[in-house]
Amino acid sequence: MIKGITTIRQTSDAKEYAFLVSIFAALGFEQSEEWQNGRSRGKYFRAPAGKLELVGGKEKLAADIWIEVSDLDTVSVLLKKQKARLVSDIAESDWDSRFLVVEPAQGIRFAFWQNNKVKEGAIEGGLNAEGMRFAIVVARWNSFITERLLQGSMDALRRSGCASEHIKVVRVPGSFEIPSQARTLAGTRKYDAIITLGCLIRGETTHYEHIATEVTRGIGQSAQETGVPHTYGVLTCENLEQALDRAGLKAGNKGFEAAVSAIEMVSLKRKTAGRSGTSSVSSRTGKKTAARKKRR
Ligand code: RBF
């Protein structure tokens, strides 16, 4: 009998209508064609699921439309980019979630929220690097940037519990040389993951695209051939300013992020690789497994 729920908000003028449409489009909602009749127009935005929730008690609700998302941080960034008025930025709720409230038009409020609990049945890697071994391949070209990426990676590994003696840093001349060295290191089976760091700047490099493509492909190929996780911290930037941003200023440090991803991938591999897992080094002890010994 019941088929669906639609909630409608009436905007006050064409400008407000266009603004709200642009926000919901930017957030990635599935949207319909616009309908029009003599007096009005409208467009709907569809979410994968909907429900009607009744609440009792005295708590004052922050909004009457609650949109559940998988990545609240990105929603916050997108809303700010769109210059939508945030009533309150991300805060913890007392029901194991985080939420923010936005009022992009006078009197029209939405709360976006994300459940803190990992979905049941989903497997994710952890971020404890104790006992893990990493190799970091770093290009000397644009060392002003790549050394900062390296500092970021070391910082992430140490903070996550990786012992300094379990981190091997290997320098290569430029980004083009990263894949072959990564492949060599992965082949030794001494490392749980390989972190690759480099910096290509379009302004300086006539054949920028070719190098970037080759480096990316080569690193991916090494990961696939060896089954050893490789993470990608090779910046491909338009200019030095952009590179500086990504090496520790505005946009975070991509070396740090590459190291965190490496830890997560090692942990994930330990959880998901079955008996036929491609690694022939015991992920926990670093000792050769029976399968490896047999092959020799
Ligand atoms: N390596 C980088 O890591 N980043 C660069 O921006 C970069 N630009 C280059 C520009 C030219 C014209 C050339 C010839 C090389 C460049 N390289 C760069 C070095 C390259 O990755 C490699 O180390 C050398 O070509 C030696 O094989």
Side-chain angles (χ1 to χ4, degrees):
M1 189 170 67
I2 312 249
K3 289 186 72 179
I5 300 172
T6 302
T7 180
I8 301 175
R9 290 294 176 280
Q10 191 158 23
T11 54
S12 63
D13 56 29
K15 200 172 147 207
E16 194 173 284
Y17 173 82
F19 184 50
L20 285 172
V21 165
S22 69
I23 287 174
F24 280 88
L27 288 171
F29 272 83
E30 182 195 328
Q31 51 182 306
S32 72
E33 291 293 314
E34 185 175 79
W35 60 261
Q36 290 205 10
N37 62 28
R39 291 183 305 156
S40 309
R41 61 182 171 153
K43 194 183 228 310
Y44 62 77
F45 294 87
R46 204 197 282 274
K51 62 189 175 201
L52 174 65
E53 184 164 338
L54 300 175
V55 176
K58 289 193 180 132
E59 191 166 299
K60 197 173 174 315
L61 296 174
D64 54 11
I65 297 184
W66 287 74
I67 300 164
E68 185 175 1
V69 296
S70 57
D71 181 1
L72 190 62
D73 301 280
T74 303
V75 169
S76 172
V77 171
L78 287 171
L79 289 172
K80 285 173 194 160
K81 221 181 208 172
Q82 296 288 319
K83 300 201 166 37
R85 192 176 85 81
L86 281 186
V87 177
S88 57
D89 207 345
I90 299 175
E92 288 288 328
S93 74
D94 46 16
W95 30 278
D96 208 6
S97 297
R98 300 184 307 144
F99 72 104
L100 62 79
V101 182
V102 63
E103 188 170 321
Q106 183 71 37
I108 302 186
R109 277 191 184 197
F110 305 95
F112 287 86
W113 67 285
Q114 181 179 353
N115 196 333
N116 289 340
K117 282 184 231 137
V118 178
K119 290 269 172 298
E120 257 175 63
I123 307 172
E124 289 188 29
L127 294 177
N128 182 354
E130 250 172 87
M132 294 181 183
R133 291 167 187 268
F134 297 92
I136 307 177
V137 186
V138 54
R140 271 198 306 269
W141 195 284
N142 291 322
S143 61
F144 181 63
I145 303 292
T146 59
E147 289 301 313
R148 290 175 189 222
L149 297 176
L150 178 59
Q151 278 172 18
S153 289
M154 300 290 278
D155 186 26
L157 295 180
R158 290 199 192 113
R159 274 203 224 185
S160 309
C162 182
S164 298
E165 62 269 25
H166 288 172
I167 308 170
K168 183 86 182 165
V169 177
V170 180
R171 288 194 170 77
V172 294
S175 296
F176 189 73
E177 284 74 34
I178 293 175
S180 64
Q181 184 54 39
R183 178 70 180 80
T184 303
L185 291 165
T188 65
R189 300 282 164 197
K190 284 186 191 160
Y191 308 101
D192 293 305
I194 315 288
I195 299 161
T196 61
L197 306 175
C199 173
L200 286 154
I201 300 181
R202 186 192 292 274
E204 293 174 5
T205 313
T206 44
H207 47 297
Y208 169 93
E209 247 98 33
H210 302 293
I211 298 189
T213 310
E214 195 51 26
V215 171
T216 310
R217 194 195 55 76
I219 293 171
Q221 187 178 337
S222 174
Q224 284 156 16
E225 280 176 8
T226 59
V228 176
H230 288 47
T231 58
Y232 188 78
V234 180
L235 303 183
T236 49
C237 307
E238 293 299 318
N239 49 46
L240 185 63
E241 193 199 355
Q242 215 178 56
L244 278 167
D245 281 348
R246 296 177 191 175
L249 296 175
K250 275 187 236 156
N253 184 306
K254 298 294 170 198
F256 188 99
E257 289 173 23
V260 172
S261 300
I263 299 166
E264 186 177 339
M265 288 307 294
V266 174
S267 163
L268 186 61
K269 190 177 165 194
R270 289 178 181 181
K271 289 181 187 175
T272 55
R275 288 155 69 89
S276 61
T278 39
S279 172
S280 46
V281 170
S282 161
S283 47
R284 244 163 260 289
T285 61
K287 289 190 187 129
K288 281 172 196 141
T289 58
R292 170 85 173 153
K293 282 181 196 151
K294 227 179 181 173
R295 244 182 275 143
R296 286 217 138 182

